[in-house]
């Protein structure tokens, strides 16, 4: 699998996760589901005129934003990106 970009932005009790290319979404969710702290996410939304998709993941104990970022960084195919300023 080719590496792909992922962005994480906190939104209160959720993390807004943007994923490059729709075909990577289900694969990434499969990788995250192997973690005992990852349980649910809101529906996948495709961004208009873009190859990116977004999901919202609850980020409250036990899954915090910091832990989600660590989980993503541990996946070799994921390039965790900073949100544009």
């Amino acid at each position: 699998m080719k590496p792909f970009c992922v962005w994480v932005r906190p939104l209160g009790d959720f993390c807004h996760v943007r994923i490059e290319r729709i075909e990577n979404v289900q694969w990434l969710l499969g990788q995250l589901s192997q973690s005992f702290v990852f349980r649910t996410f809101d529906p996948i939304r495709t961004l208009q005129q873009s190859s990116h998709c977004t999901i919202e993941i609850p980020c409250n104990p036990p899954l915090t934003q910091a832990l989600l970022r660590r989980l993503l960084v541990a996946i070799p195919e994921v390039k965790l990106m900073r949100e544009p300023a």
Side-chain angles (χ1 to χ4, degrees), residues 7 18 82-85:
W7 295 260
R18 184 168 49 136
R82 291 181 166 244
E83 278 292 320

Side-chain angles (χ1 to χ4, degrees), residues 16 18-19 45-54:
H16 177 90
R18 184 168 49 136
I19 303 162
R45 291 186 290 271
T46 304
L47 302 176
Q48 291 183 358
Q49 300 184 16
S50 173
S51 63
H52 295 85
C53 296
T54 63

